[in-house]
């Protein structure tokens, strides 16, 4: 069983579109054995600066994070792979991946120094361990949906939480649905404080519809489902609230007018929801280029999905693959449903026809519940915490600001999965004593759609592997660094030796075939991405060449131009035939 130990929560805030840094490629092959082939085709081809990735990725792999707690609400950590069962649409699935993530005490990541076991040459660094930023938390304020009073209460609580709970080595950022008033990851408390104070609601619509008032889920029932009751309620509202009662001319009660109003409202709701989802999607991609632990805290009153359940599922999939935990805090606090509605709120039924008032109250209650359900699903499906229906915002931030003490990451590959975009129900159970513990896990996933870009999905998977803390030596990898200063900047060389003695090759036309992908990424001492390069070795080896390389290994060199400072070097190697992965971290100090 593979166990990863974490040291706390992560912090952040901002919104922008990023281009995958791994699209910046490069590298050089060192000490390759001479090629003595009788034909003209080369045995080793180096591919640099390619526009995309060529990973072997199981497109139908489904990730499920599971939090298990006992009767005292304590995390359970002793379970093994065989203790779990996963059902996809009621069918038992074979678990293909199992790992346990444990969060520990707060701290910063210390990068080990890795070398090739030989004395360093002149100019090779020899420095003490670097203490790097390790925990990254993004506060995502849904300023498109939030009301001013709720925003004030939640931003003040967030400011207090950061003032009392933020620790050395933490990096926090502030992101918003609107993309305004954002601050990227920083440890500057004053900067975060000022950013929180400048937050304000930025709704995309006026929040008021023309008479009759139609609630969002009611509008969806009218425009998309042609629900007779929803149409009748809107018609009666128009007669009584817009036209003064029966017997008076009432153009607002015309079915075409009501349908137009409903469709306009649905468009507004869908547009605001897209902004929130797109902001979360961009934030997940931003956090992919951060080392260490990553969490998002969504501060929102919730929002209606209506037709965008697939988009939410894609964000959950992305967060799971990037090892990002999403927690949510319902900005509405404690609320109750008032029969007939609160006259201060949109869609209040206080002026409705007596025969339709009860339906308006039901629609309003449904809206509140559906808004909150989105927040609950985001947290539950990614292993986070959902804080709802409470005015204790200070306590809420303490709950959502941390990680579960432990969580299990499971995966399965459903057979014959059709790319039709349909929803599949998920159920995770324990084999023995199923009632002994409580389980938190995602409830569903969507099958991929035919128009999804495999190259983009493969790039997302590679980023998950590169920007994690995992150390793996499936392909033994030795790394050392060397630099030469030329004025203000330094030429940094990173040498990696890959031991391929146990790497699988595929025989074809008297050649042994494989592709080795080497990704090298630099982070600064604050945990920010600096640069990254990728090299692909296309190996088509004769038997004699392969035998020699199994003895000597393959040496690769990657170079960067960097300014003075402390850097974390992250190396990942993957082969195409055995799908083996190696990952290591080392450090370098440029004086």
């Amino acid at each position: 069983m593979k166990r990863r130990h974490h040291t706390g929560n992560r912090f952040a805030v901002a919104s922008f579109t990023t281009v995958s840094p791994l699209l910046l490629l490069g590298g050089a092959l060192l000490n390759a054995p001479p090629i003595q082939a009788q034909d003209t085709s080369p045995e080793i081809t180096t591919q640099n600066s390619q526009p995309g990735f060529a990973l072997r990725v199981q497109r139908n792999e489904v990730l499920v994070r599971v939090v298990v707690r006992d009767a005292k609400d304590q995390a359970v950590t002793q379970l093994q792979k065989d203790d779990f069962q996963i059902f996809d649409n009621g069918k038992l699935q074979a678990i293909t991946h199992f790992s346990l993530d444990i969060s520990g005490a707060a701290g910063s990541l210390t990068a080990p120094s890795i070398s090739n076991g030989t004395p360093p040459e002149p100019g090779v660094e020899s420095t003490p361990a670097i203490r790097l930023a390790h925990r990254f938390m993004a506060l995502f304020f849904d300023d498109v949906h939030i009301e001013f009073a709720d925003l004030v209460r939640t931003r003040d609580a967030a400011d207090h939480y950061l003032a009392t709970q933020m620790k050395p080595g933490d990096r926090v950022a502030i992101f918003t649905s609107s993309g305004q008033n954002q601050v990227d990851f920083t440890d500057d408390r004053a900067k975060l404080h000022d950013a929180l104070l400048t937050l304000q609601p930025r709704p995309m619509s006026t929040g008021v519809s023309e008479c009759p008032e139609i609630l969002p889920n009611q509008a969806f029932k009218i425009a998309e489902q042609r629900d007779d009751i929803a149409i009748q309620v809107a018609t009666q509202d128009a007669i009584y609230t817009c036209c003064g009662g029966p017997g008076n001319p009432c153009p607002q009660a015309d079915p075409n007018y009501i349908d137009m109003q409903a469709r306009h409202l649905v468009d507004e709701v869908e547009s605001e929801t897209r902004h929130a989802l797109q902001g979360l999607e961009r934030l997940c991609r931003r956090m992919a280029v951060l080392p260490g632990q990553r969490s998002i805290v969504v501060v929102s009153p919730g929002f209606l999905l209506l037709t965008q359940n697939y988009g939410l599922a894609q964000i959950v999939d992305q967060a799971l693959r990037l090892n990002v935990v999403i927690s949510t805090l319902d900005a509405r606090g404690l609320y109750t449903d008032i029969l007939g509605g609160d006259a201060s709120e949109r869609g209040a039924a206080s002026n409705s026809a007596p025969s339709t008032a009860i339906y308006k109250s039901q629609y309003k209650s449904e809206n509140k519940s559906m808004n909150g359900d989105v927040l609950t699903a985001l947290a539950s499906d990614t292993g986070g915490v959902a804080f709802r229906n409470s005015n204790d915002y200070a306590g809420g931030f303490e709950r959502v600001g941390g990680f579960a003490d432990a969580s299990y990451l499971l995966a399965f590959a459903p057979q014959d999965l059709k790319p039709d975009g349909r929803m599949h129900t998920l159920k995770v159970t324990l084999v023995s004593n199923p009632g002994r513990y409580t389980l938190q896990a995602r409830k569903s996933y969507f099958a991929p759609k035919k128009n999804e870009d495999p190259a983009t999905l493969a790039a997302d998977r590679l980023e998950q592997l590169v920007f994690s803390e995992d150390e793996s030596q499936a392909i033994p990898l030795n790394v050392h660094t060397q630099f030469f200063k030329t004025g203000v900047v330094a030429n940094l060389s990173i040498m990696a030796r890959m031991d391929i003695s146990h790497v699988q090759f595929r025989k074809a036309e008297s050649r042994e075939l494989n592709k080795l992908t080497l990704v090298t990424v630099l982070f600064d001492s604050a945990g920010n991405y600096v640069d990254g390069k990728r090299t692909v070795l296309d190996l088509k080896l004769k038997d004699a060449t392969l035998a020699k390389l199994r003895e000597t290994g393959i040496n690769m060199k990657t170079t960067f131009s960097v300014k003075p400072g402390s850097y974390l070097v992250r190396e990942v190697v993957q082969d195409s035939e055995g799908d083996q992965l190696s990952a290591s971290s080392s450090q370098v100090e440029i004086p």
Side-chain angles (χ1 to χ4, degrees):
M1 179 181 66
K2 185 177 182 180
R3 185 176 295 215
R4 295 185 299 181
H5 295 271
H6 298 304
T7 57
N9 40 2
R10 318 165 190 172
F11 303 81
V13 188
S15 172
F16 47 84
T17 302
T18 60
V19 177
S20 171
L22 296 186
L23 297 182
L24 303 173
L25 314 173
L29 179 66
L30 296 178
N31 302 329
I35 300 174
Q36 299 176 352
Q38 296 180 355
D39 55 40
T40 58
S41 59
E43 293 188 68
I44 302 178
T45 303
T46 305
Q47 303 172 10
N48 295 322
S49 301
Q50 296 179 345
F53 301 139
L55 282 180
R56 288 179 41 159
V57 178
Q58 280 190 298
R59 258 309 293 127
N60 60 345
E61 183 183 58
V62 179
L63 298 180
V64 183
R65 186 174 297 280
V66 186
V67 178
V68 185
R69 296 184 177 91
D70 60 21
K72 297 182 179 180
D73 202 33
Q74 300 298 311
V76 177
T77 61
Q78 73 272 20
L79 299 178
Q80 306 295 324
K81 174 182 176 180
D82 293 340
D83 292 320
F84 290 92
Q85 291 180 321
I86 300 179
F87 296 88
D88 179 350
N89 281 347
K91 297 181 180 180
L92 182 63
Q93 302 294 316
I95 298 175
T96 57
H97 171 84
F98 174 86
S99 64
L100 171 64
D101 292 351
I102 298 180
S103 62
S108 299
L109 176 64
T110 301
S113 180
I114 300 176
S115 70
N116 62 358
T118 60
E121 302 174 16
V124 175
E125 87 295 341
S126 178
T127 61
I130 303 172
R131 304 291 289 182
L132 297 171
H134 179 48
R135 305 186 305 171
F136 297 83
M137 184 175 77
L139 299 177
F140 182 85
F141 281 85
D142 184 11
D143 56 355
V144 169
H145 292 99
I146 201 168
E147 299 287 341
F148 179 74
D150 295 336
L151 177 59
V152 171
R153 286 190 288 265
T154 53
R155 76 186 186 190
D156 289 348
D159 191 46
H160 175 75
Y161 173 78
L162 296 181
T164 57
Q165 301 296 324
M166 191 173 173
K167 297 177 175 60
D170 291 344
R171 297 296 184 271
V172 183
I174 298 172
F175 291 78
T176 60
S177 295
S178 69
Q180 302 186 51
N181 297 100
Q182 302 187 141
V183 175
D184 205 355
F185 290 95
T186 180
D187 60 354
D188 189 336
R189 271 282 301 117
K191 191 173 184 180
L192 294 169
H193 170 78
D194 292 342
L196 287 169
L197 291 183
T198 61
L199 293 176
Q200 57 182 296
R202 299 183 183 277
M204 300 177 60
S205 63
T206 61
V208 177
S209 65
E210 297 181 16
C211 196
E213 288 187 318
I214 302 174
L215 291 165
N217 62 326
Q218 179 190 5
F220 181 75
K221 292 176 185 290
I222 294 172
E224 303 296 335
Q225 299 177 348
R226 307 307 300 167
D227 185 276
D228 291 336
I229 294 179
I231 295 172
Q232 182 180 356
V233 169
T235 303
Q236 290 297 310
D237 266 356
I239 293 172
Y240 280 89
T241 62
C242 308
C243 305
N248 296 322
C250 193
Q252 293 91 334
D254 181 86
N256 292 328
Y257 180 85
I258 290 175
D259 184 74
M260 179 187 68
Q261 288 290 93
R263 292 187 180 279
H264 177 70
L265 180 55
V266 168
D267 289 343
E268 284 189 345
V269 171
E270 292 279 83
S271 180
E272 291 180 336
T273 296
R274 277 194 297 272
H275 264 72
L277 294 179
Q278 289 170 359
L280 279 173
E281 191 273 337
R282 289 193 298 268
L283 178 51
C284 285
R285 289 187 175 275
R286 168 65 182 98
M287 299 190 79
V289 297
L290 299 172
Q293 299 180 0
R294 314 162 195 158
S295 72
I296 297 173
V297 174
V298 178
V299 182
S300 171
F303 45 88
L304 294 178
L305 293 176
L306 298 182
T307 64
Q308 300 188 57
N309 290 280
Y310 184 81
L312 184 72
Q314 292 297 92
I315 290 174
V316 169
D317 283 337
Q318 184 182 48
L320 288 170
R321 294 184 184 280
L322 298 176
N323 200 25
V324 175
V325 175
I326 301 177
S327 292
T328 58
L329 187 145
D330 193 331
R332 297 172 296 180
L334 179 65
Y335 62 85
T336 57
D337 291 326
I338 302 174
L339 182 62
D342 183 344
S344 65
E345 296 182 1
R346 180 183 182 182
S350 57
N351 296 323
S352 301
S355 60
T356 61
I358 188 64
Y359 290 107
K360 293 294 288 288
S361 295
Q362 289 177 356
Y363 292 142
K364 185 177 179 181
S365 179
E366 287 176 5
N367 275 329
K368 288 184 177 181
S369 179
M370 292 169 66
N371 285 338
D373 288 346
V374 173
L375 301 180
T376 299
L378 274 171
S380 177
D381 290 356
T382 62
V385 174
F387 186 82
R388 294 180 61 182
N389 207 25
S390 173
N391 291 332
D392 182 14
Y393 295 110
F397 272 101
E398 291 185 6
R399 288 278 309 280
V400 301
F403 285 94
D405 293 334
S407 64
Y408 300 88
L409 186 62
L410 313 178
F412 70 96
Q415 299 300 313
D416 302 321
L417 184 66
K418 297 180 180 179
D420 53 13
R422 291 189 177 183
M423 187 184 77
H424 289 235
T425 60
L426 287 176
K427 184 177 181 180
V428 181
T429 64
L430 295 178
V431 176
S432 302
N433 299 320
R436 182 180 178 185
Y437 303 123
T438 59
L439 276 65
Q440 172 188 329
R442 64 189 302 188
K443 301 296 190 298
S444 63
Y445 75 97
F446 282 81
K449 294 182 177 179
K450 291 182 180 179
N451 60 354
E452 285 187 319
D453 181 9
T456 299
L457 297 169
D460 290 342
R461 176 57 181 251
L462 183 59
E463 287 183 354
Q464 175 201 3
L465 302 174
V466 172
F467 298 99
S468 70
E469 303 173 42
D470 291 354
E471 297 282 333
S472 172
Q473 289 290 314
I475 303 174
L477 180 67
N478 290 320
V479 179
H480 71 270
T481 59
Q482 187 175 15
F483 65 87
F484 299 93
K485 295 195 69 174
T486 56
V488 179
V489 300
N491 293 322
L492 173 64
S493 298
I494 302 167
M495 281 71 74
R497 180 183 179 276
M498 294 173 282
D499 181 353
I500 65 167
S501 57
H502 298 291
V503 173
Q504 301 176 17
F505 281 75
R506 175 171 54 89
K507 192 80 169 183
E509 298 180 355
S510 301
R511 297 288 182 114
E512 298 286 349
L513 308 182
N514 204 333
K515 285 187 179 182
L516 295 179
T517 301
L518 174 69
V519 176
T520 307
V521 175
L522 291 182
F523 298 97
D524 63 20
S525 59
N528 296 312
Y529 171 86
V530 176
D531 201 356
K533 295 183 179 181
R534 188 193 73 164
T535 301
V536 177
L537 293 182
D538 191 357
L539 304 177
K540 301 178 180 178
L541 307 177
K542 289 199 168 186
D543 292 341
T545 306
L546 177 58
K548 185 171 184 179
L549 285 176
R550 289 194 187 279
E551 295 178 0
T552 63
I554 296 179
N555 297 314
M556 292 290 297
K557 177 181 178 181
T558 307
T559 59
F560 298 94
S561 293
V562 297
K563 297 179 181 179
S566 300
Y567 297 93
L568 175 72
V569 179
R570 181 73 173 165
E571 292 267 19
V572 172
V573 176
Q574 189 171 37
D575 79 300
S576 64
E577 294 304 315
D579 201 25
Q580 298 182 97
L581 174 72
S582 285
S584 69
S585 299
S586 57
Q587 66 177 55
V588 62
E589 176 84 18
I590 308 297

